Amino acid sequence: VSTQSTGIAKLFADDLKLIQDPNNYSSVVKDLDYLEKWEADWLLCFNPSKCKVMHMEYNDNPFNEYIFDDVKLGTINQEKDLGVLTCSSLKWDDNMKACIGKANRMIAWIT
């Protein structure tokens, strides 16, 4: 997947992350078009309702809207991936609170 992408594409099992500069809108659209072609070539289907866009809150991000498989992609402010909660502000407060909460629940099991 990543050899044809102009951005950074990471494929892990059934999960794909595409990292791209939002200020280069045509490049993002080109990558999304390539992914549509890729899924047709490999007879695989992405589920557009599960595809999301996270806009990072820095560098004058234009907060563009994107279409994939004729579906407007929804936006999110945070995403949990491999147990790590990443926020669009790139602050780790929510992740630390989640870890502390999980640790506190584990302590209740032990006592």
Side-chain angles (χ1 to χ4, degrees):
V1 173
S2 62
T3 58
Q4 298 295 317
S5 173
T6 59
I8 299 168
K10 299 292 183 182
L11 182 62
F12 180 75
D14 66 345
D15 192 27
L16 175 84
K17 303 284 187 231
L18 177 63
I19 303 166
Q20 184 60 269
D21 180 4
N23 292 309
N24 191 350
Y25 183 78
S26 62
S27 189
V28 178
V29 171
K30 180 180 173 186
D31 281 353
L32 292 174
D33 290 343
Y34 172 73
L35 289 173
E36 288 180 13
K37 182 184 176 315
W38 181 85
E39 71 177 339
D41 290 347
W42 286 91
L43 303 176
L44 297 170
C45 293
F46 291 107
N47 185 345
S49 66
K50 290 184 178 181
C51 298
K52 298 165 261 180
V53 176
M54 181 185 293
H55 295 285
M56 299 301 172
E57 297 174 4
Y58 70 100
N59 290 347
D60 299 322
N61 189 328
F63 294 88
N64 295 318
E65 293 183 347
Y66 302 102
I67 306 292
F68 184 71
D69 280 346
D70 299 323
V71 176
K72 179 183 164 193
L73 299 178
T75 59
I76 56 171
N77 291 324
Q78 56 183 237
E79 175 76 8
K80 191 169 192 174
D81 190 34
L82 298 174
V84 177
L85 188 62
T86 304
C87 298
S88 59
S89 65
L90 297 178
K91 294 182 181 176
W92 298 101
D93 299 355
D94 290 338
N95 188 61
M96 290 188 303
K97 288 176 189 174
C99 289
I100 291 168
K102 185 175 181 180
N104 285 335
R105 287 189 299 278
M106 295 297 281
I107 288 172
W109 289 357
I110 296 171
T111 59

